[in-house]
Amino acid sequence: MVSSLFSEATFSRLEALAKANAEIYRTNSPFPHIAIDDFLPADALDGALAEFPNATDIPWIRFDNPEEKKLAFNEIERLPAALRDVFYFMNSAPVLRFLEELTGIEDLLPDPYYVGGGLHNIRRGGHLGVHVDFNRYKRFGIDRRLNMLVYLNRNWDESYGGHLELWDRGMESCVKRIAPIFNRCVVFSTTETSYHGHPEPLTC
C-alpha cells in the first residue's frame, strides 16, 4: 500500500501550495518565511506521532546549557517506519520542487546526514535562545539555504509558549511569533541575519 505521503494528491497539493505562497514567502518580514497549516496528510502525521520516541526510548543528543535545553536525534534509519517515511518524504524530489517553487532558490539538495535536522524534542522547561544557524555546510562545501520544520504538537495551548520567534536583523526585537501547532510547516531562509528561537522556557 502506497503511503498517503507519496500520492499524486499530495504531490499536486504541494505544487499548488508553492504557487499560492511564493510571493508571501519572498516578501515576508523580518526575512523570507512562511507558515502553512495542515501541510501533510493527517494520517501520516498521526502515525508518526504515535511512534514518536519518549526521552528514554532512543539515545537522544541532550543539550542543556544557557543557550538551549532540548533533545535531538538525527539517525533517521533507526526510527520506526512511520517516522522514517516522513523524513524520507521531506527529503524527496517532490518536496525539493515545492521548496524551489516557493522560495525561488534553484538546485536545492537534501541533507542525507540531517546535520542540525532530524527529531527535536523540547520538554517542559526547555528553550532555544535566539540565534542564527550555520549557513555553510563544510562537509560538502555548499551553502545551507533553508530551514523546514513540521510540528507534531496536538492540542497545543497558547499558554505553553514554544512559539517560534523571528527577530529583526539587529537582534533587537521579535517581529513574528508562530505557534508550534500540529501539522504546521514553517520554512525560512537561512542567512547571517535570520535570527530565530524560542527563548522563554516551555510551560507545557
Short mmCIF file of all heavy atoms in Angstrom, two decimals, residues 44-88:
data_model
loop_
_atom_site.label_atom_id
_atom_site.label_comp_id
_atom_site.label_asym_id
_atom_site.label_seq_id
_atom_site.Cartn_x
_atom_site.Cartn_y
_atom_site.Cartn_z
N ALA A 44 -0.68 10.35 7.96
CA ALA A 44 0.76 10.12 8.02
C ALA A 44 1.36 10.70 9.29
O ALA A 44 2.20 10.08 9.94
CB ALA A 44 1.43 10.71 6.78
N LEU A 45 0.91 11.89 9.66
CA LEU A 45 1.46 12.50 10.87
C LEU A 45 0.89 11.87 12.12
O LEU A 45 1.57 11.82 13.16
CB LEU A 45 1.20 14.01 10.86
CG LEU A 45 2.11 14.84 9.97
CD1 LEU A 45 2.06 16.31 10.37
CD2 LEU A 45 3.55 14.35 9.98
N ASP A 46 -0.34 11.39 12.07
CA ASP A 46 -0.88 10.63 13.21
C ASP A 46 0.00 9.42 13.49
O ASP A 46 0.32 9.11 14.65
CB ASP A 46 -2.31 10.18 12.93
CG ASP A 46 -3.32 11.32 13.04
OD1 ASP A 46 -3.00 12.33 13.71
OD2 ASP A 46 -4.40 11.21 12.44
N GLY A 47 0.39 8.72 12.42
CA GLY A 47 1.25 7.56 12.58
C GLY A 47 2.61 7.93 13.12
O GLY A 47 3.17 7.24 13.99
N ALA A 48 3.17 9.03 12.63
CA ALA A 48 4.47 9.48 13.10
C ALA A 48 4.42 9.87 14.58
O ALA A 48 5.31 9.54 15.36
CB ALA A 48 4.95 10.67 12.26
N LEU A 49 3.35 10.56 14.96
CA LEU A 49 3.21 10.98 16.36
C LEU A 49 3.06 9.77 17.27
O LEU A 49 3.62 9.73 18.38
CB LEU A 49 2.01 11.91 16.51
CG LEU A 49 1.75 12.45 17.92
CD1 LEU A 49 2.96 13.22 18.43
CD2 LEU A 49 0.52 13.35 17.91
N ALA A 50 2.31 8.77 16.83
CA ALA A 50 2.12 7.56 17.65
C ALA A 50 3.44 6.84 17.90
O ALA A 50 3.59 6.16 18.93
CB ALA A 50 1.14 6.62 16.95
N GLU A 51 4.39 6.98 16.98
CA GLU A 51 5.68 6.30 17.12
C GLU A 51 6.78 7.22 17.65
O GLU A 51 7.93 6.79 17.77
CB GLU A 51 6.11 5.74 15.76
CG GLU A 51 5.22 4.63 15.25
CD GLU A 51 5.70 4.05 13.93
OE1 GLU A 51 6.58 4.68 13.29
OE2 GLU A 51 5.21 2.98 13.55
N PHE A 52 6.44 8.45 17.98
CA PHE A 52 7.47 9.39 18.44
C PHE A 52 8.08 8.90 19.75
O PHE A 52 7.37 8.61 20.70
CB PHE A 52 6.88 10.78 18.64
CG PHE A 52 7.90 11.88 18.67
CD1 PHE A 52 8.15 12.62 17.53
CD2 PHE A 52 8.60 12.17 19.83
CE1 PHE A 52 9.10 13.63 17.54
CE2 PHE A 52 9.55 13.18 19.85
CZ PHE A 52 9.80 13.91 18.70
N PRO A 53 9.41 8.76 19.80
CA PRO A 53 10.05 8.19 21.00
C PRO A 53 10.02 9.14 22.19
O PRO A 53 10.08 10.37 22.02
CB PRO A 53 11.49 7.95 20.52
CG PRO A 53 11.69 8.95 19.43
CD PRO A 53 10.36 9.08 18.74
N ASN A 54 9.92 8.57 23.38
CA ASN A 54 9.99 9.42 24.56
C ASN A 54 11.46 9.63 24.96
O ASN A 54 12.38 9.23 24.23
CB ASN A 54 9.16 8.83 25.72
CG ASN A 54 9.69 7.51 26.22
OD1 ASN A 54 10.91 7.28 26.24
ND2 ASN A 54 8.81 6.62 26.66
N ALA A 55 11.67 10.23 26.10
CA ALA A 55 13.01 10.67 26.48
C ALA A 55 13.98 9.53 26.75
O ALA A 55 15.19 9.76 26.83
CB ALA A 55 12.93 11.59 27.69
N THR A 56 13.47 8.30 26.90
CA THR A 56 14.36 7.18 27.22
C THR A 56 14.36 6.09 26.15
O THR A 56 15.08 5.10 26.30
CB THR A 56 13.95 6.56 28.57
OG1 THR A 56 12.58 6.11 28.50
CG2 THR A 56 14.09 7.56 29.70
N ASP A 57 13.60 6.25 25.07
CA ASP A 57 13.48 5.20 24.05
C ASP A 57 14.69 5.10 23.13
O ASP A 57 14.99 4.02 22.61
CB ASP A 57 12.23 5.43 23.18
CG ASP A 57 10.95 5.09 23.91
OD1 ASP A 57 11.02 4.36 24.92
OD2 ASP A 57 9.88 5.54 23.47
N ILE A 58 15.35 6.20 22.89
CA ILE A 58 16.46 6.25 21.94
C ILE A 58 17.61 7.05 22.56
O ILE A 58 17.39 7.81 23.52
CB ILE A 58 16.05 6.88 20.59
CG1 ILE A 58 15.50 8.29 20.79
CG2 ILE A 58 15.04 6.00 19.86
CD1 ILE A 58 15.17 9.02 19.49
N PRO A 59 18.81 6.92 22.02
CA PRO A 59 19.94 7.70 22.57
C PRO A 59 19.95 9.14 22.07
O PRO A 59 20.74 9.54 21.22
CB PRO A 59 21.17 6.92 22.07
CG PRO A 59 20.71 6.28 20.80
CD PRO A 59 19.27 5.92 21.02
N TRP A 60 19.03 9.93 22.60
CA TRP A 60 18.94 11.34 22.22
C TRP A 60 20.27 12.06 22.48
O TRP A 60 20.98 11.76 23.44
CB TRP A 60 17.86 12.04 23.04
CG TRP A 60 16.45 11.64 22.78
CD1 TRP A 60 15.72 10.71 23.47
CD2 TRP A 60 15.57 12.19 21.80
NE1 TRP A 60 14.44 10.64 22.98
CE2 TRP A 60 14.31 11.54 21.95
CE3 TRP A 60 15.70 13.16 20.82
CZ2 TRP A 60 13.22 11.83 21.15
CZ3 TRP A 60 14.61 13.46 20.02
CH2 TRP A 60 13.39 12.80 20.19
N ILE A 61 20.58 13.04 21.66
CA ILE A 61 21.62 14.01 21.97
C ILE A 61 20.98 15.04 22.90
O ILE A 61 19.94 15.62 22.57
CB ILE A 61 22.16 14.69 20.70
CG1 ILE A 61 22.70 13.64 19.73
CG2 ILE A 61 23.23 15.71 21.04
CD1 ILE A 61 22.97 14.19 18.34
N ARG A 62 21.59 15.26 24.04
CA ARG A 62 20.99 16.14 25.05
C ARG A 62 21.74 17.46 25.13
O ARG A 62 22.95 17.48 25.35
CB ARG A 62 20.97 15.43 26.41
CG ARG A 62 20.11 14.19 26.40
CD ARG A 62 20.17 13.39 27.69
NE ARG A 62 19.34 12.19 27.56
CZ ARG A 62 18.05 12.13 27.88
NH1 ARG A 62 17.46 13.19 28.40
NH2 ARG A 62 17.38 11.00 27.71
N PHE A 63 21.02 18.54 24.93
CA PHE A 63 21.58 19.88 25.06
C PHE A 63 21.02 20.51 26.34
O PHE A 63 19.81 20.56 26.53
CB PHE A 63 21.20 20.74 23.86
CG PHE A 63 21.72 20.24 22.54
CD1 PHE A 63 20.99 19.30 21.80
CD2 PHE A 63 22.93 20.67 22.04
CE1 PHE A 63 21.46 18.83 20.58
CE2 PHE A 63 23.41 20.22 20.82
CZ PHE A 63 22.68 19.29 20.09
N ASP A 64 21.90 20.96 27.20
CA ASP A 64 21.46 21.58 28.45
C ASP A 64 22.48 22.64 28.84
O ASP A 64 23.45 22.38 29.54
CB ASP A 64 21.33 20.53 29.56
CG ASP A 64 20.60 21.07 30.78
OD1 ASP A 64 20.27 22.28 30.80
OD2 ASP A 64 20.37 20.29 31.73
N ASN A 65 22.27 23.83 28.33
CA ASN A 65 23.19 24.93 28.59
C ASN A 65 22.39 26.23 28.55
O ASN A 65 21.19 26.22 28.25
CB ASN A 65 24.33 24.93 27.57
CG ASN A 65 23.85 25.04 26.14
OD1 ASN A 65 23.31 26.07 25.74
ND2 ASN A 65 24.03 23.97 25.35
N PRO A 66 23.02 27.36 28.85
CA PRO A 66 22.25 28.62 28.87
C PRO A 66 21.58 28.97 27.55
O PRO A 66 20.57 29.66 27.54
CB PRO A 66 23.32 29.66 29.23
CG PRO A 66 24.34 28.90 30.02
CD PRO A 66 24.38 27.55 29.37
N GLU A 67 22.12 28.48 26.42
CA GLU A 67 21.56 28.81 25.12
C GLU A 67 20.42 27.89 24.68
O GLU A 67 19.53 28.30 23.95
CB GLU A 67 22.65 28.80 24.05
CG GLU A 67 23.70 29.89 24.23
CD GLU A 67 23.08 31.27 24.21
OE1 GLU A 67 22.22 31.53 23.34
OE2 GLU A 67 23.43 32.09 25.07
N GLU A 68 20.46 26.64 25.11
CA GLU A 68 19.44 25.70 24.67
C GLU A 68 19.30 24.54 25.65
O GLU A 68 20.26 24.08 26.24
CB GLU A 68 19.75 25.16 23.27
CG GLU A 68 21.10 24.49 23.14
CD GLU A 68 21.45 24.11 21.72
OE1 GLU A 68 20.53 24.00 20.89
OE2 GLU A 68 22.63 23.93 21.44
N LYS A 69 18.05 24.10 25.78
CA LYS A 69 17.74 22.92 26.58
C LYS A 69 16.75 22.10 25.79
O LYS A 69 15.57 22.44 25.70
CB LYS A 69 17.16 23.32 27.94
CG LYS A 69 16.90 22.13 28.86
CD LYS A 69 16.41 22.57 30.23
CE LYS A 69 16.21 21.36 31.13
NZ LYS A 69 15.72 21.76 32.47
N LYS A 70 17.24 21.01 25.16
CA LYS A 70 16.39 20.22 24.28
C LYS A 70 17.03 18.87 24.03
O LYS A 70 18.19 18.62 24.41
CB LYS A 70 16.16 20.94 22.95
CG LYS A 70 17.43 21.07 22.10
CD LYS A 70 17.13 21.67 20.74
CE LYS A 70 18.38 21.67 19.87
NZ LYS A 70 18.12 22.19 18.51
N LEU A 71 16.27 17.99 23.35
CA LEU A 71 16.76 16.71 22.88
C LEU A 71 16.76 16.71 21.36
O LEU A 71 15.90 17.32 20.73
CB LEU A 71 15.86 15.57 23.38
CG LEU A 71 15.61 15.49 24.89
CD1 LEU A 71 14.62 14.37 25.19
CD2 LEU A 71 16.89 15.29 25.65
N ALA A 72 17.72 16.00 20.76
CA ALA A 72 17.79 15.92 19.30
C ALA A 72 18.24 14.53 18.89
O ALA A 72 18.94 13.83 19.64
CB ALA A 72 18.74 16.98 18.74
N PHE A 73 17.83 14.12 17.69
CA PHE A 73 18.20 12.79 17.18
C PHE A 73 18.16 12.83 15.66
O PHE A 73 17.16 13.22 15.07
CB PHE A 73 17.22 11.73 17.70
CG PHE A 73 17.63 10.32 17.39
CD1 PHE A 73 18.61 9.68 18.14
CD2 PHE A 73 17.04 9.61 16.35
CE1 PHE A 73 19.00 8.37 17.86
CE2 PHE A 73 17.41 8.32 16.06
CZ PHE A 73 18.40 7.69 16.82
N ASN A 74 19.28 12.42 15.02
CA ASN A 74 19.31 12.50 13.55
C ASN A 74 19.67 11.18 12.87
O ASN A 74 19.96 11.16 11.68
CB ASN A 74 20.27 13.60 13.09
CG ASN A 74 21.71 13.36 13.53
OD1 ASN A 74 22.03 12.32 14.10
ND2 ASN A 74 22.58 14.31 13.25
N GLU A 75 19.61 10.07 13.60
CA GLU A 75 19.86 8.76 12.99
C GLU A 75 18.53 8.20 12.49
O GLU A 75 17.92 7.31 13.08
CB GLU A 75 20.51 7.82 14.00
CG GLU A 75 21.87 8.30 14.49
CD GLU A 75 22.47 7.38 15.53
OE1 GLU A 75 22.65 6.18 15.23
OE2 GLU A 75 22.72 7.86 16.65
N ILE A 76 18.09 8.74 11.38
CA ILE A 76 16.74 8.50 10.87
C ILE A 76 16.48 7.03 10.62
O ILE A 76 15.36 6.53 10.84
CB ILE A 76 16.52 9.33 9.59
CG1 ILE A 76 16.76 10.82 9.86
CG2 ILE A 76 15.12 9.10 9.04
CD1 ILE A 76 16.04 11.38 11.06
N GLU A 77 17.49 6.29 10.17
CA GLU A 77 17.32 4.87 9.85
C GLU A 77 16.96 4.03 11.07
O GLU A 77 16.47 2.90 10.93
CB GLU A 77 18.59 4.32 9.20
CG GLU A 77 18.93 4.96 7.85
CD GLU A 77 19.50 6.36 7.98
OE1 GLU A 77 19.93 6.75 9.10
OE2 GLU A 77 19.52 7.07 6.96
N ARG A 78 17.17 4.56 12.26
CA ARG A 78 16.87 3.82 13.49
C ARG A 78 15.47 4.10 14.02
O ARG A 78 15.08 3.55 15.05
CB ARG A 78 17.91 4.16 14.57
CG ARG A 78 19.33 3.78 14.18
CD ARG A 78 20.35 4.20 15.22
NE ARG A 78 20.16 3.52 16.49
CZ ARG A 78 20.96 3.70 17.54
NH1 ARG A 78 21.99 4.52 17.46
NH2 ARG A 78 20.73 3.05 18.68
N LEU A 79 14.72 4.94 13.33
CA LEU A 79 13.38 5.31 13.79
C LEU A 79 12.33 4.34 13.27
O LEU A 79 12.54 3.67 12.26
CB LEU A 79 13.05 6.72 13.31
CG LEU A 79 13.89 7.85 13.90
CD1 LEU A 79 13.54 9.17 13.23
CD2 LEU A 79 13.70 7.94 15.41
N PRO A 80 11.18 4.26 13.94
CA PRO A 80 10.07 3.44 13.44
C PRO A 80 9.61 3.89 12.05
O PRO A 80 9.84 5.03 11.64
CB PRO A 80 8.97 3.65 14.49
CG PRO A 80 9.68 4.09 15.72
CD PRO A 80 10.87 4.88 15.24
N ALA A 81 8.95 2.99 11.35
CA ALA A 81 8.65 3.18 9.93
C ALA A 81 7.85 4.45 9.63
O ALA A 81 8.14 5.16 8.66
CB ALA A 81 7.91 1.97 9.39
N ALA A 82 6.84 4.74 10.44
CA ALA A 82 6.00 5.91 10.14
C ALA A 82 6.79 7.21 10.25
O ALA A 82 6.59 8.14 9.46
CB ALA A 82 4.80 5.95 11.08
N LEU A 83 7.70 7.28 11.20
CA LEU A 83 8.55 8.46 11.32
C LEU A 83 9.57 8.51 10.19
O LEU A 83 9.82 9.57 9.60
CB LEU A 83 9.29 8.44 12.66
CG LEU A 83 8.59 9.11 13.84
CD1 LEU A 83 9.36 8.85 15.13
CD2 LEU A 83 8.45 10.61 13.61
N ARG A 84 10.16 7.36 9.86
CA ARG A 84 11.11 7.32 8.76
C ARG A 84 10.48 7.80 7.46
O ARG A 84 11.09 8.55 6.70
CB ARG A 84 11.65 5.89 8.55
CG ARG A 84 12.69 5.44 9.53
CD ARG A 84 13.52 4.30 8.93
NE ARG A 84 12.72 3.28 8.31
CZ ARG A 84 12.27 2.18 8.92
NH1 ARG A 84 12.53 1.98 10.21
NH2 ARG A 84 11.55 1.28 8.26
N ASP A 85 9.25 7.38 7.22
CA ASP A 85 8.57 7.77 5.99
C ASP A 85 8.44 9.29 5.87
O ASP A 85 8.59 9.85 4.79
CB ASP A 85 7.18 7.14 5.91
CG ASP A 85 7.21 5.70 5.42
OD1 ASP A 85 8.30 5.24 5.01
OD2 ASP A 85 6.16 5.05 5.46
N VAL A 86 8.15 9.94 6.99
CA VAL A 86 8.02 11.40 6.96
C VAL A 86 9.36 12.03 6.58
O VAL A 86 9.42 12.93 5.73
CB VAL A 86 7.53 11.95 8.31
CG1 VAL A 86 7.63 13.47 8.35
CG2 VAL A 86 6.09 11.50 8.57
N PHE A 87 10.45 11.56 7.18
CA PHE A 87 11.76 12.12 6.85
C PHE A 87 12.16 11.83 5.41
O PHE A 87 12.71 12.70 4.73
CB PHE A 87 12.81 11.61 7.83
CG PHE A 87 12.80 12.32 9.14
CD1 PHE A 87 12.29 11.71 10.27
CD2 PHE A 87 13.27 13.62 9.25
CE1 PHE A 87 12.26 12.37 11.49
CE2 PHE A 87 13.25 14.30 10.46
CZ PHE A 87 12.74 13.67 11.59
N TYR A 88 11.91 10.62 4.96
CA TYR A 88 12.25 10.30 3.57
C TYR A 88 11.44 11.16 2.62
O TYR A 88 11.96 11.62 1.58
CB TYR A 88 12.00 8.81 3.30
CG TYR A 88 12.96 7.89 4.00
CD1 TYR A 88 12.65 6.54 4.17
CD2 TYR A 88 14.17 8.34 4.51
CE1 TYR A 88 13.53 5.67 4.81
CE2 TYR A 88 15.04 7.49 5.16
CZ TYR A 88 14.73 6.16 5.31
OH TYR A 88 15.59 5.31 5.95
#
